[in-house]
Amino acid sequence: MAASLRKGKSTMRIATDRDVSVQSAVQEELEWTPDVDAAGIGVSVEDGTVTLSGEVDSYAERVAARRAALRVRGVTAFVDNLTVHPKETPRPSETDVAKAVSLALNATSTIPATVKAEINDGHVTLTGEVEWDYQRRAARRAVEHLLGVQTVSNLITLSPRPSALDTEERIRGALTRNALLDANRIKVTVLGNKVVLDGTVRSWAEKQQAGRAAWGSPHVNDVEDRITVRSD
């Protein structure tokens, strides 16, 4: 019993040390990121789950902080408790925000005219239908940095596509070619136009790469990502 107890304490201590190490790495990554003011952001870590809290000046900074945290090895999940609280500058009107959003969408050549935006008290909702996932992501990126934007909800959908018998093989090939991924740890299941990803990866960046590889197929309009992140 004593040996088992010591082993349990040792395991708990190692887990705590790992969380402290991840916390330190996330703080350093936030400080390293030029568009993030790390001084106003609190970082806590429990079993690999990182929670960011505090206030930031813009939604763009909030997004940058999230991306910085997810770049760190050892982060297995993320909780965003950040709030947007602009500095003491005149807040743009709803009309000004709407104009800025419209200009940003129209100025981006990869975003089709089918994408529409609704603005409500700084909260932007994107709707419409596009052919590719990269167009959906481009729409979010185009507006998330704009002054006055508090949050962005991306409800853009993908156009229906014909299914293909070799979709699984093509996605598997994309995963194998990706230098950041170990394709042997990822299982791909194709159900018509839907792809289900299972398995484990070593970082959140790998999980995102796997998802983008699946979305890159011309025959996919839905991806269910069940991949888990395990740093050990």
Side-chain angles (χ1 to χ4, degrees), residues 38-83:
I41 299 176
V43 180
S44 62
V45 182
E46 183 176 353
D47 294 332
T49 298
V50 173
T51 300
L52 298 185
S53 57
E55 294 183 349
V56 292
D57 292 336
S58 66
Y59 182 71
E61 184 179 0
R62 182 179 180 180
V63 171
R66 178 182 187 275
R67 290 173 178 167
L70 291 176
R71 284 196 296 267
V72 175
R73 184 173 295 278
V75 174
T76 58
F78 178 79
V79 178
D80 184 357
N81 286 337
L82 294 170
T83 57

mmCIF file of all heavy atoms in Angstrom, residues 38-83:
data_model
loop_
_atom_site.group_PDB
_atom_site.id
_atom_site.type_symbol
_atom_site.label_atom_id
_atom_site.label_comp_id
_atom_site.label_asym_id
_atom_site.label_seq_id
_atom_site.Cartn_x
_atom_site.Cartn_y
_atom_site.Cartn_z
ATOM 1 N N ALA A 38 0.523 40.790 -23.026
ATOM 2 C CA ALA A 38 0.466 39.677 -22.078
ATOM 3 C C ALA A 38 0.256 40.137 -20.643
ATOM 4 O O ALA A 38 -0.200 39.354 -19.803
ATOM 5 C CB ALA A 38 1.748 38.850 -22.180
ATOM 6 N N ALA A 39 0.568 41.398 -20.359
ATOM 7 C CA ALA A 39 0.460 41.885 -18.980
ATOM 8 C C ALA A 39 -0.968 41.822 -18.457
ATOM 9 O O ALA A 39 -1.193 41.683 -17.250
ATOM 10 C CB ALA A 39 0.990 43.310 -18.889
ATOM 11 N N GLY A 40 -1.940 41.916 -19.344
ATOM 12 C CA GLY A 40 -3.335 41.927 -18.904
ATOM 13 C C GLY A 40 -4.022 40.575 -18.972
ATOM 14 O O GLY A 40 -5.235 40.485 -18.790
ATOM 15 N N ILE A 41 -3.241 39.509 -19.239
ATOM 16 C CA ILE A 41 -3.836 38.184 -19.429
ATOM 17 C C ILE A 41 -3.341 37.216 -18.361
ATOM 18 O O ILE A 41 -2.132 37.059 -18.158
ATOM 19 C CB ILE A 41 -3.502 37.634 -20.826
ATOM 20 C CG1 ILE A 41 -4.069 38.564 -21.908
ATOM 21 C CG2 ILE A 41 -4.052 36.219 -21.002
ATOM 22 C CD1 ILE A 41 -3.710 38.153 -23.317
ATOM 23 N N GLY A 42 -4.281 36.576 -17.687
ATOM 24 C CA GLY A 42 -3.943 35.556 -16.706
ATOM 25 C C GLY A 42 -3.970 34.178 -17.346
ATOM 26 O O GLY A 42 -4.817 33.896 -18.194
ATOM 27 N N VAL A 43 -3.032 33.321 -16.945
ATOM 28 C CA VAL A 43 -2.923 31.974 -17.512
ATOM 29 C C VAL A 43 -2.979 30.946 -16.387
ATOM 30 O O VAL A 43 -2.208 31.027 -15.427
ATOM 31 C CB VAL A 43 -1.600 31.793 -18.286
ATOM 32 C CG1 VAL A 43 -1.517 30.380 -18.868
ATOM 33 C CG2 VAL A 43 -1.461 32.839 -19.376
ATOM 34 N N SER A 44 -3.886 29.992 -16.506
ATOM 35 C CA SER A 44 -3.931 28.869 -15.568
ATOM 36 C C SER A 44 -3.998 27.580 -16.369
ATOM 37 O O SER A 44 -4.544 27.549 -17.475
ATOM 38 C CB SER A 44 -5.133 28.977 -14.628
ATOM 39 O OG SER A 44 -6.350 28.927 -15.348
ATOM 40 N N VAL A 45 -3.427 26.506 -15.806
ATOM 41 C CA VAL A 45 -3.375 25.223 -16.504
ATOM 42 C C VAL A 45 -3.743 24.107 -15.537
ATOM 43 O O VAL A 45 -3.239 24.061 -14.412
ATOM 44 C CB VAL A 45 -1.966 24.953 -17.081
ATOM 45 C CG1 VAL A 45 -1.952 23.632 -17.847
ATOM 46 C CG2 VAL A 45 -1.512 26.093 -17.981
ATOM 47 N N GLU A 46 -4.622 23.228 -15.977
ATOM 48 C CA GLU A 46 -4.989 22.056 -15.190
ATOM 49 C C GLU A 46 -5.110 20.855 -16.113
ATOM 50 O O GLU A 46 -5.951 20.834 -17.010
ATOM 51 C CB GLU A 46 -6.310 22.279 -14.453
ATOM 52 C CG GLU A 46 -6.703 21.098 -13.566
ATOM 53 C CD GLU A 46 -7.958 21.367 -12.755
ATOM 54 O OE1 GLU A 46 -8.449 22.515 -12.789
ATOM 55 O OE2 GLU A 46 -8.444 20.434 -12.094
ATOM 56 N N ASP A 47 -4.234 19.884 -15.917
ATOM 57 C CA ASP A 47 -4.221 18.669 -16.743
ATOM 58 C C ASP A 47 -4.151 18.997 -18.230
ATOM 59 O O ASP A 47 -4.821 18.366 -19.054
ATOM 60 C CB ASP A 47 -5.458 17.809 -16.459
ATOM 61 C CG ASP A 47 -5.461 17.256 -15.040
ATOM 62 O OD1 ASP A 47 -4.368 17.066 -14.486
ATOM 63 O OD2 ASP A 47 -6.554 17.037 -14.495
ATOM 64 N N GLY A 48 -3.357 19.994 -18.585
ATOM 65 C CA GLY A 48 -3.166 20.351 -19.983
ATOM 66 C C GLY A 48 -4.190 21.316 -20.541
ATOM 67 O O GLY A 48 -4.028 21.813 -21.657
ATOM 68 N N THR A 49 -5.261 21.576 -19.783
ATOM 69 C CA THR A 49 -6.275 22.532 -20.233
ATOM 70 C C THR A 49 -5.866 23.941 -19.820
ATOM 71 O O THR A 49 -5.715 24.225 -18.628
ATOM 72 C CB THR A 49 -7.652 22.203 -19.633
ATOM 73 O OG1 THR A 49 -8.061 20.909 -20.078
ATOM 74 C CG2 THR A 49 -8.690 23.231 -20.071
ATOM 75 N N VAL A 50 -5.697 24.804 -20.797
ATOM 76 C CA VAL A 50 -5.260 26.179 -20.550
ATOM 77 C C VAL A 50 -6.466 27.105 -20.511
ATOM 78 O O VAL A 50 -7.323 27.055 -21.400
ATOM 79 C CB VAL A 50 -4.283 26.655 -21.641
ATOM 80 C CG1 VAL A 50 -3.965 28.138 -21.474
ATOM 81 C CG2 VAL A 50 -3.010 25.839 -21.595
ATOM 82 N N THR A 51 -6.524 27.946 -19.486
ATOM 83 C CA THR A 51 -7.573 28.957 -19.375
ATOM 84 C C THR A 51 -6.933 30.334 -19.394
ATOM 85 O O THR A 51 -6.035 30.616 -18.598
ATOM 86 C CB THR A 51 -8.382 28.787 -18.077
ATOM 87 O OG1 THR A 51 -8.989 27.488 -18.061
ATOM 88 C CG2 THR A 51 -9.468 29.849 -17.981
ATOM 89 N N LEU A 52 -7.374 31.171 -20.323
ATOM 90 C CA LEU A 52 -6.923 32.556 -20.378
ATOM 91 C C LEU A 52 -8.032 33.445 -19.835
ATOM 92 O O LEU A 52 -9.201 33.284 -20.196
ATOM 93 C CB LEU A 52 -6.598 32.974 -21.817
ATOM 94 C CG LEU A 52 -5.480 32.215 -22.537
ATOM 95 C CD1 LEU A 52 -5.214 32.847 -23.901
ATOM 96 C CD2 LEU A 52 -4.207 32.190 -21.705
ATOM 97 N N SER A 53 -7.668 34.384 -18.980
ATOM 98 C CA SER A 53 -8.648 35.296 -18.405
ATOM 99 C C SER A 53 -8.072 36.703 -18.377
ATOM 100 O O SER A 53 -6.859 36.901 -18.476
ATOM 101 C CB SER A 53 -9.033 34.850 -16.988
ATOM 102 O OG SER A 53 -7.876 34.763 -16.170
ATOM 103 N N GLY A 54 -8.963 37.683 -18.248
ATOM 104 C CA GLY A 54 -8.533 39.071 -18.217
ATOM 105 C C GLY A 54 -9.198 39.873 -19.316
ATOM 106 O O GLY A 54 -10.166 39.418 -19.941
ATOM 107 N N GLU A 55 -8.674 41.064 -19.567
ATOM 108 C CA GLU A 55 -9.241 41.956 -20.572
ATOM 109 C C GLU A 55 -8.226 42.242 -21.670
ATOM 110 O O GLU A 55 -7.031 42.370 -21.410
ATOM 111 C CB GLU A 55 -9.682 43.280 -19.935
ATOM 112 C CG GLU A 55 -10.843 43.141 -18.961
ATOM 113 C CD GLU A 55 -11.296 44.488 -18.421
ATOM 114 O OE1 GLU A 55 -10.574 45.487 -18.634
ATOM 115 O OE2 GLU A 55 -12.372 44.542 -17.799
ATOM 116 N N VAL A 56 -8.721 42.320 -22.900
ATOM 117 C CA VAL A 56 -7.889 42.698 -24.040
ATOM 118 C C VAL A 56 -8.546 43.871 -24.752
ATOM 119 O O VAL A 56 -9.729 44.154 -24.550
ATOM 120 C CB VAL A 56 -7.704 41.514 -25.012
ATOM 121 C CG1 VAL A 56 -6.872 40.413 -24.376
ATOM 122 C CG2 VAL A 56 -9.051 40.959 -25.461
ATOM 123 N N ASP A 57 -7.773 44.543 -25.598
ATOM 124 C CA ASP A 57 -8.261 45.768 -26.232
ATOM 125 C C ASP A 57 -9.169 45.519 -27.434
ATOM 126 O O ASP A 57 -9.942 46.392 -27.819
ATOM 127 C CB ASP A 57 -7.080 46.633 -26.682
ATOM 128 C CG ASP A 57 -6.304 47.193 -25.502
ATOM 129 O OD1 ASP A 57 -6.890 47.304 -24.412
ATOM 130 O OD2 ASP A 57 -5.109 47.504 -25.676
ATOM 131 N N SER A 58 -9.056 44.336 -28.052
ATOM 132 C CA SER A 58 -9.830 44.087 -29.268
ATOM 133 C C SER A 58 -10.069 42.592 -29.443
ATOM 134 O O SER A 58 -9.401 41.755 -28.824
ATOM 135 C CB SER A 58 -9.083 44.622 -30.497
ATOM 136 O OG SER A 58 -7.887 43.886 -30.700
ATOM 137 N N TYR A 59 -11.023 42.284 -30.313
ATOM 138 C CA TYR A 59 -11.287 40.883 -30.626
ATOM 139 C C TYR A 59 -10.090 40.263 -31.334
ATOM 140 O O TYR A 59 -9.770 39.092 -31.135
ATOM 141 C CB TYR A 59 -12.533 40.771 -31.505
ATOM 142 C CG TYR A 59 -12.900 39.348 -31.846
ATOM 143 C CD1 TYR A 59 -13.416 38.492 -30.882
ATOM 144 C CD2 TYR A 59 -12.717 38.855 -33.137
ATOM 145 C CE1 TYR A 59 -13.745 37.179 -31.188
ATOM 146 C CE2 TYR A 59 -13.048 37.546 -33.451
ATOM 147 C CZ TYR A 59 -13.562 36.717 -32.476
ATOM 148 O OH TYR A 59 -13.879 35.418 -32.780
ATOM 149 N N ALA A 60 -9.398 41.066 -32.153
ATOM 150 C CA ALA A 60 -8.210 40.566 -32.844
ATOM 151 C C ALA A 60 -7.148 40.123 -31.839
ATOM 152 O O ALA A 60 -6.484 39.095 -32.027
ATOM 153 C CB ALA A 60 -7.645 41.647 -33.764
ATOM 154 N N GLU A 61 -6.983 40.890 -30.764
ATOM 155 C CA GLU A 61 -6.012 40.513 -29.741
ATOM 156 C C GLU A 61 -6.462 39.243 -29.019
ATOM 157 O O GLU A 61 -5.651 38.385 -28.668
ATOM 158 C CB GLU A 61 -5.830 41.644 -28.733
ATOM 159 C CG GLU A 61 -4.748 41.358 -27.698
ATOM 160 C CD GLU A 61 -4.542 42.495 -26.712
ATOM 161 O OE1 GLU A 61 -5.243 43.521 -26.836
ATOM 162 O OE2 GLU A 61 -3.691 42.348 -25.824
ATOM 163 N N ARG A 62 -7.757 39.115 -28.817
ATOM 164 C CA ARG A 62 -8.295 37.908 -28.184
ATOM 165 C C ARG A 62 -7.995 36.673 -29.035
ATOM 166 O O ARG A 62 -7.571 35.632 -28.521
ATOM 167 C CB ARG A 62 -9.806 38.068 -27.996
ATOM 168 C CG ARG A 62 -10.495 36.903 -27.316
ATOM 169 C CD ARG A 62 -11.983 37.186 -27.162
ATOM 170 N NE ARG A 62 -12.688 36.097 -26.519
ATOM 171 C CZ ARG A 62 -13.991 36.101 -26.277
ATOM 172 N NH1 ARG A 62 -14.721 37.155 -26.619
ATOM 173 N NH2 ARG A 62 -14.562 35.065 -25.691
ATOM 174 N N VAL A 63 -8.192 36.800 -30.339
ATOM 175 C CA VAL A 63 -7.903 35.698 -31.259
ATOM 176 C C VAL A 63 -6.407 35.384 -31.268
ATOM 177 O O VAL A 63 -5.996 34.220 -31.253
ATOM 178 C CB VAL A 63 -8.391 36.040 -32.678
ATOM 179 C CG1 VAL A 63 -7.909 34.999 -33.686
ATOM 180 C CG2 VAL A 63 -9.911 36.134 -32.706
ATOM 181 N N ALA A 64 -5.579 36.429 -31.286
ATOM 182 C CA ALA A 64 -4.131 36.231 -31.299
ATOM 183 C C ALA A 64 -3.662 35.522 -30.031
ATOM 184 O O ALA A 64 -2.772 34.664 -30.081
ATOM 185 C CB ALA A 64 -3.424 37.575 -31.447
ATOM 186 N N ALA A 65 -4.260 35.868 -28.894
ATOM 187 C CA ALA A 65 -3.900 35.220 -27.633
ATOM 188 C C ALA A 65 -4.291 33.742 -27.662
ATOM 189 O O ALA A 65 -3.534 32.870 -27.207
ATOM 190 C CB ALA A 65 -4.584 35.924 -26.468
ATOM 191 N N ARG A 66 -5.466 33.462 -28.183
ATOM 192 C CA ARG A 66 -5.922 32.067 -28.289
ATOM 193 C C ARG A 66 -4.977 31.261 -29.169
ATOM 194 O O ARG A 66 -4.564 30.151 -28.807
ATOM 195 C CB ARG A 66 -7.338 32.034 -28.870
ATOM 196 C CG ARG A 66 -7.897 30.638 -29.078
ATOM 197 C CD ARG A 66 -9.286 30.698 -29.703
ATOM 198 N NE ARG A 66 -9.904 29.388 -29.772
ATOM 199 C CZ ARG A 66 -9.712 28.518 -30.756
ATOM 200 N NH1 ARG A 66 -8.912 28.845 -31.754
ATOM 201 N NH2 ARG A 66 -10.316 27.344 -30.743
ATOM 202 N N ARG A 67 -4.615 31.809 -30.317
ATOM 203 C CA ARG A 67 -3.726 31.095 -31.231
ATOM 204 C C ARG A 67 -2.348 30.884 -30.618
ATOM 205 O O ARG A 67 -1.724 29.840 -30.818
ATOM 206 C CB ARG A 67 -3.620 31.867 -32.547
ATOM 207 C CG ARG A 67 -4.909 31.833 -33.367
ATOM 208 C CD ARG A 67 -4.832 32.731 -34.583
ATOM 209 N NE ARG A 67 -6.050 32.645 -35.387
ATOM 210 C CZ ARG A 67 -6.365 33.485 -36.359
ATOM 211 N NH1 ARG A 67 -5.545 34.500 -36.654
ATOM 212 N NH2 ARG A 67 -7.492 33.332 -37.041
ATOM 213 N N ALA A 68 -1.886 31.880 -29.871
ATOM 214 C CA ALA A 68 -0.581 31.754 -29.220
ATOM 215 C C ALA A 68 -0.594 30.616 -28.210
ATOM 216 O O ALA A 68 0.344 29.808 -28.149
ATOM 217 C CB ALA A 68 -0.209 33.071 -28.545
ATOM 218 N N ALA A 69 -1.653 30.536 -27.414
ATOM 219 C CA ALA A 69 -1.745 29.479 -26.406
ATOM 220 C C ALA A 69 -1.797 28.096 -27.051
ATOM 221 O O ALA A 69 -1.151 27.150 -26.588
ATOM 222 C CB ALA A 69 -2.972 29.700 -25.527
ATOM 223 N N LEU A 70 -2.535 27.981 -28.141
ATOM 224 C CA LEU A 70 -2.695 26.682 -28.796
ATOM 225 C C LEU A 70 -1.447 26.251 -29.557
ATOM 226 O O LEU A 70 -1.337 25.083 -29.948
ATOM 227 C CB LEU A 70 -3.899 26.717 -29.740
ATOM 228 C CG LEU A 70 -5.262 26.818 -29.048
ATOM 229 C CD1 LEU A 70 -6.378 26.945 -30.076
ATOM 230 C CD2 LEU A 70 -5.502 25.599 -28.164
ATOM 231 N N ARG A 71 -0.515 27.163 -29.762
ATOM 232 C CA ARG A 71 0.746 26.786 -30.412
ATOM 233 C C ARG A 71 1.675 26.029 -29.471
ATOM 234 O O ARG A 71 2.621 25.373 -29.915
ATOM 235 C CB ARG A 71 1.479 28.039 -30.923
ATOM 236 C CG ARG A 71 0.915 28.633 -32.183
ATOM 237 C CD ARG A 71 1.909 29.600 -32.818
ATOM 238 N NE ARG A 71 2.196 30.758 -31.992
ATOM 239 C CZ ARG A 71 1.552 31.912 -32.070
ATOM 240 N NH1 ARG A 71 0.564 32.055 -32.933
ATOM 241 N NH2 ARG A 71 1.891 32.931 -31.294
ATOM 242 N N VAL A 72 1.434 26.121 -28.185
ATOM 243 C CA VAL A 72 2.363 25.574 -27.193
ATOM 244 C C VAL A 72 2.173 24.066 -27.048
ATOM 245 O O VAL A 72 1.052 23.587 -26.875
ATOM 246 C CB VAL A 72 2.160 26.272 -25.833
ATOM 247 C CG1 VAL A 72 3.028 25.624 -24.759
ATOM 248 C CG2 VAL A 72 2.479 27.760 -25.954
ATOM 249 N N ARG A 73 3.271 23.337 -27.110
ATOM 250 C CA ARG A 73 3.213 21.887 -26.913
ATOM 251 C C ARG A 73 2.819 21.583 -25.472
ATOM 252 O O ARG A 73 3.311 22.214 -24.537
ATOM 253 C CB ARG A 73 4.569 21.252 -27.226
ATOM 254 C CG ARG A 73 4.558 19.730 -27.137
ATOM 255 C CD ARG A 73 5.865 19.144 -27.617
ATOM 256 N NE ARG A 73 6.097 19.394 -29.030
ATOM 257 C CZ ARG A 73 5.576 18.673 -30.018
ATOM 258 N NH1 ARG A 73 4.765 17.666 -29.731
ATOM 259 N NH2 ARG A 73 5.846 18.955 -31.270
ATOM 260 N N GLY A 74 1.944 20.616 -25.312
ATOM 261 C CA GLY A 74 1.456 20.259 -23.984
ATOM 262 C C GLY A 74 0.056 20.760 -23.715
ATOM 263 O O GLY A 74 -0.597 20.308 -22.775
ATOM 264 N N VAL A 75 -0.419 21.693 -24.547
ATOM 265 C CA VAL A 75 -1.787 22.195 -24.404
ATOM 266 C C VAL A 75 -2.736 21.196 -25.064
ATOM 267 O O VAL A 75 -2.626 20.917 -26.254
ATOM 268 C CB VAL A 75 -1.943 23.581 -25.054
ATOM 269 C CG1 VAL A 75 -3.404 24.027 -25.021
ATOM 270 C CG2 VAL A 75 -1.063 24.598 -24.348
ATOM 271 N N THR A 76 -3.658 20.647 -24.289
ATOM 272 C CA THR A 76 -4.588 19.646 -24.822
ATOM 273 C C THR A 76 -6.005 20.182 -24.997
ATOM 274 O O THR A 76 -6.802 19.602 -25.725
ATOM 275 C CB THR A 76 -4.638 18.422 -23.894
ATOM 276 O OG1 THR A 76 -5.043 18.839 -22.583
ATOM 277 C CG2 THR A 76 -3.268 17.759 -23.801
ATOM 278 N N ALA A 77 -6.328 21.275 -24.321
ATOM 279 C CA ALA A 77 -7.652 21.889 -24.453
ATOM 280 C C ALA A 77 -7.526 23.355 -24.067
ATOM 281 O O ALA A 77 -6.531 23.771 -23.469
ATOM 282 C CB ALA A 77 -8.684 21.182 -23.582
ATOM 283 N N PHE A 78 -8.558 24.134 -24.409
ATOM 284 C CA PHE A 78 -8.465 25.578 -24.220
ATOM 285 C C PHE A 78 -9.798 26.150 -23.763
ATOM 286 O O PHE A 78 -10.854 25.773 -24.279
ATOM 287 C CB PHE A 78 -8.045 26.240 -25.538
ATOM 288 C CG PHE A 78 -7.969 27.736 -25.480
ATOM 289 C CD1 PHE A 78 -6.880 28.374 -24.921
ATOM 290 C CD2 PHE A 78 -9.002 28.511 -25.985
ATOM 291 C CE1 PHE A 78 -6.814 29.758 -24.859
ATOM 292 C CE2 PHE A 78 -8.948 29.890 -25.930
ATOM 293 C CZ PHE A 78 -7.844 30.511 -25.365
ATOM 294 N N VAL A 79 -9.738 27.052 -22.774
ATOM 295 C CA VAL A 79 -10.921 27.771 -22.298
ATOM 296 C C VAL A 79 -10.639 29.266 -22.426
ATOM 297 O O VAL A 79 -9.644 29.766 -21.893
ATOM 298 C CB VAL A 79 -11.250 27.425 -20.831
ATOM 299 C CG1 VAL A 79 -12.454 28.235 -20.354
ATOM 300 C CG2 VAL A 79 -11.516 25.930 -20.680
ATOM 301 N N ASP A 80 -11.515 29.968 -23.128
ATOM 302 C CA ASP A 80 -11.328 31.401 -23.373
ATOM 303 C C ASP A 80 -12.259 32.203 -22.469
ATOM 304 O O ASP A 80 -13.458 32.299 -22.726
ATOM 305 C CB ASP A 80 -11.612 31.710 -24.845
ATOM 306 C CG ASP A 80 -11.353 33.174 -25.191
ATOM 307 O OD1 ASP A 80 -11.017 33.953 -24.276
ATOM 308 O OD2 ASP A 80 -11.491 33.533 -26.376
ATOM 309 N N ASN A 81 -11.697 32.764 -21.410
ATOM 310 C CA ASN A 81 -12.459 33.634 -20.512
ATOM 311 C C ASN A 81 -12.054 35.099 -20.672
ATOM 312 O O ASN A 81 -12.308 35.918 -19.782
ATOM 313 C CB ASN A 81 -12.258 33.205 -19.054
ATOM 314 C CG ASN A 81 -13.019 31.927 -18.725
ATOM 315 O OD1 ASN A 81 -13.993 31.589 -19.394
ATOM 316 N ND2 ASN A 81 -12.574 31.205 -17.716
ATOM 317 N N LEU A 82 -11.436 35.416 -21.797
ATOM 318 C CA LEU A 82 -11.035 36.796 -22.057
ATOM 319 C C LEU A 82 -12.247 37.632 -22.446
ATOM 320 O O LEU A 82 -13.179 37.143 -23.085
ATOM 321 C CB LEU A 82 -10.007 36.846 -23.192
ATOM 322 C CG LEU A 82 -8.645 36.206 -22.918
ATOM 323 C CD1 LEU A 82 -7.835 36.127 -24.196
ATOM 324 C CD2 LEU A 82 -7.892 36.997 -21.852
ATOM 325 N N THR A 83 -12.215 38.892 -22.071
ATOM 326 C CA THR A 83 -13.258 39.829 -22.480
ATOM 327 C C THR A 83 -12.614 40.988 -23.226
ATOM 328 O O THR A 83 -11.466 41.354 -22.964
ATOM 329 C CB THR A 83 -14.034 40.373 -21.269
ATOM 330 O OG1 THR A 83 -13.117 41.002 -20.356
ATOM 331 C CG2 THR A 83 -14.753 39.248 -20.546
#
